[in-house]
Amino acid sequence: MIVEQYFEEYEIGAARTSFGRTITETDFVVHAGHTGDFFPHHMDAVWCATQDIGQRIAHGTMIFSIGIGLTATTINPHAMSYGYDRLRFIRPVHIGDTITTITTIADKRDHPKRAGHGVVTEKVDIRNQNGETVLACEHLYLVTRRQPLA
Amino acid sequence: MIVEQYFEEYEIGAARTSFGRTITETDFVVHAGHTGDFFPHHMDAVWCATQDIGQRIAHGTMIFSIGIGLTATTINPHAMSYGYDRLRFIRPVHIGDTITTITTIADKRDHPKRAGHGVVTEKVDIRNQNGETVLACEHLYLVTRRQPLA
Amino acid sequence: MIVEQYFEEYEIGAARTSFGRTITETDFVVHAGHTGDFFPHHMDAVWCATQDIGQRIAHGTMIFSIGIGLTATTINPHAMSYGYDRLRFIRPVHIGDTITTITTIADKRDHPKRAGHGVVTEKVDIRNQNGETVLACEHLYLVTRRQPLA
Amino acid sequence: MIVEQYFEEYEIGAARTSFGRTITETDFVVHAGHTGDFFPHHMDAVWCATQDIGQRIAHGTMIFSIGIGLTATTINPHAMSYGYDRLRFIRPVHIGDTITTITTIADKRDHPKRAGHGVVTEKVDIRNQNGETVLACEHLYLVTRRQPLA
Amino acid sequence: MIVEQYFEEYEIGAARTSFGRTITETDFVVHAGHTGDFFPHHMDAVWCATQDIGQRIAHGTMIFSIGIGLTATTINPHAMSYGYDRLRFIRPVHIGDTITTITTIADKRDHPKRAGHGVVTEKVDIRNQNGETVLACEHLYLVTRRQPLA
Amino acid sequence: MIVEQYFEEYEIGAARTSFGRTITETDFVVHAGHTGDFFPHHMDAVWCATQDIGQRIAHGTMIFSIGIGLTATTINPHAMSYGYDRLRFIRPVHIGDTITTITTIADKRDHPKRAGHGVVTEKVDIRNQNGETVLACEHLYLVTRRQPLA
């Protein structure tokens, strides 16, 4: 769905919560096949059982990709994602965990060079079924202003 | 392949270049299906042709996931990835582009709290077939020291 | 396998039973990724456990697609599928259920406009491992006559 | 996104248009693998080139599944899909075509037996990039009334 | 489809030809992801263009798996596949080639130890759209006899 | 990783052990979809429970493809795989088994016609989590000599 929003209209603290999604063994296998990372931490249940981790753990890139994907429900044609800061893997995700993504507008500031745009920082908090954060990061957007700065 | 390396043995400037991988229309469809992000920027060739971008562009999370996956050829059991900093989407990637990942040890420093570990920063530079950087970030590792700090 | 059959040779009541196929969690994830429908009814085990349905339920379009796919073992070059009538989702299908498709020639009639073709209706009955119908529909075929009507 | 709507609030003629999605060779291969239907009409480019159809044609079940999937953007917790009527394959879809789904509330009527529900019929029109209908059907919903009939 | 056949009923020279299947870029990506073999010979179009091979070549294990899969249309409950001999990659397969599998009963002999079974050798010949063999092997079956040897 | 090795440098008895990989229900579904082999032995848990095998068994072509894929970690540009001999399915593989591949250089000999190449035979032994061989074969390589035979 398209939801138009200019820089001026972003409100600090505005938050959205995604649907939940159960991370399945299928997702592990698909992500390994998609990225080529077949490390035993993700793919070898027998070896994992001999390690501290005890069981297979999700690829960090997968929880990031699916967690961000969960937020891909509305498009703002005036905003362009240009990167992420402070991406941290806080807790492991295992097969059968269910994740949900909460995004909150955390900051908005003038663009250092472009009078027609501002920079919006959205805090991304991916949580498991126990409400614990498993991955956190800051999503950076370049957003068009309704009125360019003089 | 397992390649053991303690904190003391990381050398600033040491670099590795991955194999190349051509990003296909299949990868676009697989990533959309894996993450649930079916935005027309990635999936609707007709609409893209009417936009400035001209053609479908790869999901940022895909180039990140595949670019990092390309480096997943050796495991260091003494290093643990804990996050990424300054992840930036520099140039769009289109169907048929071929990406390669160059990683360089950029920094190593004491861990603020753990005498037995250090922090290693690896610069990640994902390039297309023209040698242009399409995505850059810093990969952060917690690495065991051979000799804990006194 | 090719099995040639003209309109005249279809017999009301002729039936075929497909092989069985266990519907797996993988199929749920693949279908969500194929269609873009990630509704929590199919993908969020935690939420489903709080609802009357109790557990994830298969997409209706998936049971239809796989159930019809199970019948795709013989090709009749004289018949062309042109649609379905009265497609009904009778019972939910859960992960681990095994479905089988029974098709029965239910009706054959002259085509209202084409002397060279007739219309054949095949009743499709998709059942679970308990013999209960989970999905029913009527498959419509345009079939060439060996002898055009005068 | 959740959009609550009771039977009384459905308006005849209300329409929604989905995003577009380009149907790729990947989708053909994924659907064959998902359903087990590897008929040469979908999978053998050489054979198709010798036939009237000229090139590979999409599985009918795929265009139905993806076309319906395109509409899966808002959930109405008061409505339950129970089937489809008059599903017709109007035109073939080929690799590279882009489809869009237009849904229109076409009919609402009392449920013959349940005072607390009504039946809503949504017309589904899946079109290609030329605006031609490729698949049409009627989607049937059982919808809770805000006020049960006396 | 089930086609029962005892050892005595196999006839030397009996042959079957499968449907054709076009090998797509999707198949390359799926097979790499399924097996973890992302060697540049299969995945890096730019590098391949600099080599004698000129373009990406299919994994040998893929042509074998798909070529054998093409024959999986009838099940003989009295025969059990136990291996393959003389599997040879004769010609490369590229994206867009169409393969067909021709199987011929080439040999039948007593089992050295089991009076109730015989050994059947089926010659497997996987060909491209030009009729050239791309992969050949011998498929070995253990088949129940209708009448055990005295 | 590229590891250059000429014919003269191959040593009989040199062995490598791959990482392990747990064979999942997802792999069964992916392989069926990739090859088109949906036989109930692999796909119908209910039917399998009524048979001697008791549960679904992996496709032979899958264990071969994944087992060989596990060894695809180093490329020797001087060696070219040209086939396999004596491929045997020794034990069934079930969902949840973990396989590992051990390869051993078993033989090296002059090529009958090419003075610049030799033939190397690598014994492939795919084992389950109990150390039992599930599939064995011989992998044949054509390898360039550092010094052509006189």
Side-chain angles (χ1 to χ4, degrees), chain A residues 16-69:
Chain A
R16 287 196 311 147
T17 298
S18 77
F19 283 129
R21 178 165 161 192
T22 301
I23 301 299
T24 66
E25 189 179 63
T26 302
D27 295 304
F28 276 56
V29 174
V30 168
H31 196 76
H34 186 40
T35 63
D37 177 348
F38 286 81
F39 279 179
H41 313 69
H42 316 302
M43 304 304 281
D44 183 343
V46 170
W47 179 82
C48 286
T50 68
Q51 304 293 306
D52 285 351
I53 51 175
Q55 56 175 305
R56 286 168 284 176
I57 51 170
H59 299 74
T61 48
M62 177 168 78
I63 299 308
F64 176 62
S65 294
I66 292 182
I68 295 299

Side-chain angles (χ1 to χ4, degrees), chain C residues 81-102:
Chain C
S81 162
Y82 72 88
Y84 292 87
D85 272 345
R86 272 173 282 278
L87 169 50
R88 294 294 180 274
F89 305 120
I90 314 281
R91 274 186 190 75
V93 174
H94 299 296
I95 294 169
D97 283 350
T98 295
I99 64 171
T100 303
T101 304
I102 299 162

Side-chain angles (χ1 to χ4, degrees), chain D:
Chain D
M1 209 173 59
I2 292 174
V3 178
E4 299 203 26
Q5 200 174 11
Y6 286 96
F7 179 75
E8 289 85 341
E9 292 139 27
Y10 278 81
E11 291 181 34
I12 305 289
R16 287 196 312 147
T17 298
S18 78
F19 284 127
R21 179 165 161 191
T22 302
I23 301 299
T24 65
E25 189 179 63
T26 303
D27 294 305
F28 277 56
V29 175
V30 168
H31 196 77
H34 186 40
T35 62
D37 178 347
F38 286 81
F39 279 179
H41 312 69
H42 316 301
M43 304 304 281
D44 183 343
V46 171
W47 179 81
C48 287
T50 68
Q51 304 292 308
D52 285 350
I53 52 174
Q55 56 176 306
R56 286 167 284 175
I57 51 169
H59 299 74
T61 48
M62 177 167 78
I63 298 309
F64 176 62
S65 294
I66 292 182
I68 295 298
L70 280 169
T71 70
T73 54
T74 59
I75 298 177
N76 178 5
H78 305 301
M80 194 190 71
S81 162
Y82 71 90
Y84 292 87
D85 273 345
R86 271 172 283 278
L87 169 50
R88 294 293 180 273
F89 305 121
I90 314 282
R91 272 185 191 76
V93 174
H94 298 297
I95 294 169
D97 282 350
T98 295
I99 65 171
T100 303
T101 304
I102 300 161
T103 49
T104 311
I105 303 303
D107 186 44
K108 51 189 286 191
R109 59 185 188 278
D110 296 346
H111 188 281
K113 297 180 185 166
R114 303 188 188 195
H117 294 82
V119 171
V120 170
T121 302
E122 185 181 62
K123 188 168 150 292
V124 177
D125 180 6
I126 305 176
R127 297 192 185 167
N128 65 18
Q129 67 277 12
N130 302 319
E132 301 164 322
T133 297
V134 296
L135 187 154
C137 63
E138 297 169 8
H139 196 165
L140 308 175
Y141 294 95
L142 186 70
V143 187
T144 306
R145 289 174 180 276
R146 194 175 280 279
Q147 296 278 30
L149 289 179

Side-chain angles (χ1 to χ4, degrees), chain C residues 103-123:
Chain C
T103 49
T104 311
I105 302 305
D107 186 44
K108 51 189 286 191
R109 59 184 189 279
D110 295 346
H111 189 280
K113 297 181 184 166
R114 302 186 188 197
H117 293 82
V119 172
V120 170
T121 302
E122 184 181 62
K123 189 169 150 289

